[in-house]
Amino acid sequence: MGSGSYYDVVLVGAGPAGVFAALELARNSPLSIALVDQGPDLPERLARQSADGRPDPALIMQGFGGAGAFSDGKLTLSPEVGGHLPEILGRDMASRLIEDVDRIWLEFGAPAELFGVNVDCVEELQARAVRSGLKLVELPLRHVGTDLAPQVLSAMRAALANRVDLLMNTAVEAIVAEKSGMHGVRLADGRKLTARYVLLAPGRSGAAWLRGEAQRLGLTMDQNPVDLGVRVEVPAPVLSELTDSLYEFKLLYWSRTFDNLVRTFCVC
């Protein structure tokens, strides 16, 4: 734990990146850590649900657990989809990190059942996809589920409680930096948290703030394009051959006109 104003590490954002970083640091180092988020703590987020279990719309994107706290919790355990980690670290390292993350999910209560593995018909389905101009990606998937996800996150929070200062409902106004380097963050209430290291993971709701801070400090930026999605509903028999065998799948298609990638996402 820190002194209240000085920490070895300050993590900005308590979504998946911030929570997993805090877990790694808390379990593998003696460093003092603060995890800061402008949204509420997990118990408050869970308490502010309606009778039908829907979260307060104002709390969906912010707070401990981030947007994932109320998601369906589908963990796609493959470097084939979901970002550019293989390009940055190499495929082997990306695969090892995915395995490490999966073990942590299991440790904190994710279901043991793994879908989409050892499917006998996958090669035939992949060949049929190629003949249609598509690529079918086989991937193992662990389905946490909307009901269980808050319980898993609660277990992670409990593991952090005695090692990490959780500063929820606390907005970060600015990064404190000088020519000699980064020295911490200034909070919206005027307090300053001094730190040897600052890790920024503000998520989508903090993207505009992060962009503004990067511009103010003269940092270069590189950002992924935002995916646009449409919902397509078809009778169950149309996709049953795929969903019965693979549970969750990814079909990829490259537009011949613009060379853009189009893919399926979160198939029911």
Side-chain angles (χ1 to χ4, degrees):
M1 307 287 274
S3 65
S5 59
Y6 174 83
Y7 297 90
D8 292 310
V9 184
V10 168
L11 308 174
V12 179
V19 169
F20 271 75
L23 283 170
E24 286 294 292
L25 291 168
R27 288 146 61 118
N28 297 296
S29 80
L31 300 175
S32 58
I33 308 157
L35 180 59
V36 188
D37 196 286
Q38 63 182 332
D41 205 349
L42 185 60
E44 180 182 346
R45 298 183 77 194
L46 297 178
R48 289 174 61 180
Q49 295 187 81
S50 60
D52 62 1
R54 294 181 181 273
D56 183 335
L59 305 181
I60 289 178
M61 299 295 292
Q62 300 172 0
F64 191 97
F70 302 107
S71 77
D72 194 30
K74 285 183 176 178
L75 309 177
T76 51
L77 305 174
S78 169
E80 292 285 346
V81 294
H84 301 286
L85 201 61
E87 301 168 20
I88 298 170
L89 298 177
R91 185 181 179 85
D92 290 344
M93 175 60 78
S95 296
R96 287 197 295 271
L97 287 174
I98 289 172
E99 291 173 1
D100 289 344
V101 168
D102 187 38
R103 281 193 290 269
I104 294 173
W105 278 107
L106 287 171
E107 176 187 346
F108 285 98
E113 185 175 9
L114 196 62
F115 297 97
V117 294
N118 300 321
V119 178
D120 294 334
C121 64
V122 68
E123 291 185 3
E124 177 192 350
L125 292 171
Q126 287 174 330
R128 289 170 59 186
V130 169
R131 291 195 292 270
S132 299
L134 304 167
K135 179 181 179 181
L136 173 63
V137 178
E138 178 193 17
L139 49 86
L141 182 140
R142 197 174 305 285
H143 189 181
V144 180
T146 308
D147 294 333
L148 186 57
Q151 297 179 37
V152 175
L153 284 171
S154 294
M156 292 180 177
R157 184 193 177 285
L160 295 175
N162 294 325
R163 271 285 287 119
V164 177
D165 282 350
L166 301 176
L167 306 180
M168 302 293 106
N169 292 307
T170 303
V172 174
E173 183 175 78
I175 301 164
V176 178
E178 300 172 359
K179 290 184 178 180
S180 57
M182 189 178 297
H183 298 287
V185 297
R186 185 174 68 251
L187 305 180
D189 63 10
R191 288 180 295 157
K192 177 182 174 182
L193 302 181
T194 304
R196 293 169 57 196
Y197 305 100
V198 177
L199 188 152
L200 304 175
R204 176 62 61 189
S205 63
W209 170 82
L210 182 58
R211 181 171 61 250
E213 284 298 278
Q215 293 172 343
R216 180 177 68 85
L217 297 172
L219 303 176
T220 57
M221 294 181 289
D222 188 13
Q223 59 188 14
N224 294 332
V226 176
D227 290 339
L228 299 179
V230 295
R231 177 174 176 140
V232 180
E233 295 189 4
V234 299
V238 174
L239 289 178
S240 61
E241 190 174 4
L242 286 168
T243 54
D244 290 350
S245 301
L246 301 178
Y247 190 76
E248 171 83 2
F249 57 89
K250 303 293 182 187
L251 280 169
L252 312 182
Y253 173 76
W254 282 266
S255 166
R256 297 176 183 177
T257 304
F258 299 106
D259 197 32
N260 286 337
L261 174 63
V262 182
R263 62 183 174 88
T264 57
F265 177 80
C266 198
V267 176
C268 296

